[in-house]
Amino acid sequence: MSTRFPAHVRVYRSRSGEAAVRSWCERELAACPGLRPLPGIVADGRSTRVHVLDGGPGVPVLVLPGAGLSSATLTGTARLLARDRTVILADLPGEPGLSCPLRPLGGRAAAYGAWLDALLPQVTDRPVVLLGHALGAAAVVSSLPSPLVDRLLLVNPAGLAAPVRDPGRLRATWAWQLSPGGAASARLLRAWGGPAGPGPLAEWMTLVGRHCRTVTVPGLLRGEEYRDWRGVPVTVATGSRDRVLSPALLGGAARRLLDTDVHVVGGAGHLVPHEAPEQVRDLLRGGGG
């Protein structure tokens, strides 16, 4: 069933800003050997850029980035995961990247769930692992169970619990929004409990801060937004230093809503797929495929 929202906002502040973000993404994706695009994908009325990296014999994985992130920030992780399995990367519409630039203003998780329902049969004809990070995880739990879903891996998952209102993170976010630059981006990443040094992710966050509208972490999902995933293996993981959705915060919610415990990734923060790709690979292997 399609879920369309008449109220939306463009993620980019200007056409030139959109061009700058898209150019950065195209450059990073082109630098990933073997990565190929799937052209002409439209899911639930939203143009969607999807890339595939063919890999080992394990169950393929469809990776959905978090809010404010994109497939282009995950190419290093994709290369590692592809040693075991084919990796499919999809940019979420309404987030910075190469998909449709219109972001729904209300019911964001439900909108992304409907989008994922429409996307899945266009990118695979066999079961895949759905790996959702942050907002991507909220999209996963809001989508409909399908024979094309082998299991779920939810990393730093948004929606299971309300984010911690951490004053330090809020101050870092305001500073980044007011004056995005290398120092502000590094401070924001530290406030997420993530990597603080220079690198592609800090460069990306500076680009997003300059050219995109506010990136927000989804709050607590409503009960009706959760689909019935009973019978589907679910793994939930978060970083030991996640200052947005801590292990303690997620533990009870994961048991209550998904009947699973939380795997804690030592030393990582809110950006586990970027900080600890080896542990993500191990979690995928631990699922049996």
Side-chain angles (χ1 to χ4, degrees):
M1 178 179 178
S2 176
T3 303
R4 300 184 184 278
F5 293 90
H8 59 255
V9 64
R10 285 184 61 85
V11 63
Y12 304 107
R13 295 194 178 104
S14 67
R15 297 290 181 180
S16 60
E18 179 176 358
V21 171
R22 290 180 178 272
S23 176
W24 191 95
C25 291
E26 296 284 12
R27 185 190 72 212
E28 292 295 310
L29 293 165
C32 182
L35 192 68
R36 56 184 174 85
L38 294 183
I41 302 266
V42 177
D44 196 36
R46 300 167 175 88
S47 62
T48 301
R49 282 292 293 273
V50 178
H51 290 79
V52 177
L53 186 59
D54 295 317
V59 177
V61 58
L62 170 58
V63 182
L64 304 179
L69 301 166
S70 72
S71 297
T73 65
L74 286 166
T75 54
T77 300
R79 287 196 298 269
L80 178 67
L81 300 184
R83 298 175 187 176
D84 293 345
R85 66 195 73 245
T86 291
V87 179
I88 307 166
L89 300 171
D91 278 354
L92 272 66
E95 294 299 319
L98 297 175
S99 288
C100 171
L102 300 181
R103 174 186 294 163
L105 288 179
R108 193 156 45 137
Y112 284 130
W115 164 80
L116 181 54
D117 294 340
L119 176 70
L120 194 57
Q122 298 186 63
V123 300
T124 185
D125 58 3
R126 58 176 173 147
V128 298
V129 182
L130 292 182
L131 193 170
H133 172 233
L135 176 60
V140 168
V141 298
S142 300
S143 67
L144 292 170
S146 162
L148 292 175
V149 178
D150 179 79
R151 63 187 189 276
L152 311 182
L153 174 54
L154 310 175
V155 184
N156 308 111
L160 299 190
V164 174
R165 292 189 61 83
D166 177 68
R169 191 181 79 249
L170 293 175
R171 286 194 296 269
T173 301
W174 292 333
W176 171 73
Q177 291 170 349
L178 288 171
S179 183
S185 295
R187 183 183 176 192
L188 179 64
L189 292 172
R190 284 196 301 271
W192 285 348
L201 196 55
E203 181 183 340
W204 168 257
M205 292 309 301
T206 297
L207 196 67
V208 169
R210 287 173 177 166
H211 300 302
C212 299
R213 302 189 192 281
T214 303
V215 175
T216 57
V217 178
L220 184 65
L221 294 180
R222 298 169 298 181
E224 63 269 22
E225 291 176 311
Y226 289 98
R227 301 302 182 176
D228 187 357
W229 288 102
R230 284 176 296 183
V232 178
V234 180
T235 301
V236 175
T238 195
S240 63
R241 297 188 294 109
D242 189 339
R243 292 170 61 181
V244 182
L245 296 161
S246 68
L249 188 65
L250 286 174
R255 285 189 292 272
R256 184 175 67 256
L257 298 168
L258 297 168
D259 194 27
T260 188
D261 291 322
V262 174
H263 291 260
V264 179
V265 179
H270 189 62
L271 301 168
V272 167
H274 305 267
E275 302 170 78
E278 295 87 358
Q279 284 86 338
V280 173
R281 176 198 60 196
D282 293 343
L283 287 168
L284 286 169
R285 289 175 175 175

